Amino acid sequence: MGVVNVTPDSFSDGGQWFEPAAAIEHGRELLAQGADILDVGGESTRPGAERPTVAEELRRVLPVVSALADEGALVSVDTMRAEVAAQALRAGAAIVNDVSGGLADEGMVGVVAGAGAPFVAMHWRGHSADMQSKAVYDDVVADVVSELSERARELVAAGLEPSRIVLDPGFGFAKLTAHNWSLLRGLDRLLELGHPLLVGTSRKTFLGRVGVAPGGDPRPPLDRDVVTAATSMHAARLGAWGVRVHHVPSTLDAMRVAQAIESADGSAGGSADGSAGEGAP
Ligand code: PMM
């Protein structure tokens, strides 16, 4: 899943694709690079971000969703608002990705159930303005598993088809650095819930600390794609349904490595004579 942020202020790529024409072009580029799904969002969820109005969010996402869907792309709309989801679905979006899992807007679940669309329900404890104060867990993996499974139960009770509910642990949302790493380590326990799993670590702050001494400056977001590819490969090897990333080529290469390892003959023999161009080490 390639990210198309039509926002002026996302932490990861803020402002780069704020104009619809630039966002559409970026979506095309991500598809050409191998993305299967384009996730189009008009609200930044970085800590402390202010929310756009509904009208402004619609103005940002609708032209981008409709242009990319018209060109045949599989588009998800990244929104917490029922009205935006409804209009984006009408404009051609096929999936709704809600970082609040339907908790931010009580109309959301009805819209998604009515459309029969797949729904990404992320683990969420509150809006970005103060979410980091809610990063308090007894056991982060057990707590996220239990909160997400409760959410999935409620969504099923509200009429959503279980196989169409994608769960996401919500990396960076009400999570401190150690929580994010524990969740990556515990992904198999989230997979046991029996729903497809989406993993969105791309360029997140905790990845900016990899390889940086305590107290050192974190690496900037645009310098986190290799680390993202590594975490995404980890998620894919455990069986995640999808990974949400900004830079598709690096993650795709990591997936190809995972695939080559998975499909290798563990006891390959013979000798290379260089005739197939494999003479070099
Ligand atoms: N992260 C962001 C936005 N939307 N959606 C899902 N399902 N999972 C995520 O982890 C997620 C998301 C924030 O990242 P961005 O500002 O770089 O898009």
Side-chain angles (χ1 to χ4, degrees), residues 1-4 30-31 34-40 74-78 95-98 120 166 168 198-200 202 232 241-248 251-252 255:
M1 176 185 275
V3 179
V4 182
L30 295 174
L31 283 179
D36 295 317
I37 302 170
L38 297 177
D39 190 39
V40 178
L74 184 58
V75 175
S76 66
V77 61
D78 184 347
I95 302 171
V96 176
N97 171 27
D98 180 349
V120 180
V166 178
D168 180 332
L198 179 67
V199 168
S202 190
S232 296
W241 165 83
V243 289
R244 179 184 181 278
V245 300
H246 300 86
H247 188 253
V248 167
T251 279
L252 203 55
M255 298 299 163

Side-chain angles (χ1 to χ4, degrees), residues 15 32 44 110 134 173 178 185 196 216 228 235 240 264:
S44 163
K134 296 175 178 150
F173 288 80
R185 190 185 163 114
T228 299

Side-chain angles (χ1 to χ4, degrees), residues 55-76:
E56 172 61 13
E57 193 181 340
L58 286 166
R59 193 196 65 77
R60 293 178 187 178
V61 298
L62 285 184
V64 180
V65 167
S66 96
L68 292 170
D70 283 355
E71 292 176 17
L74 184 58
V75 175
S76 66

Side-chain angles (χ1 to χ4, degrees), residues 3 22 47 58 64 88 105 122 137 141 164 176 201-202 242 250 257 269:
V3 179
L58 286 166
V64 180
D105 183 336
M122 202 191 78
Y137 300 90
V141 178
R164 293 184 166 233
L176 305 179
T201 56
S202 190
S250 49
V257 171

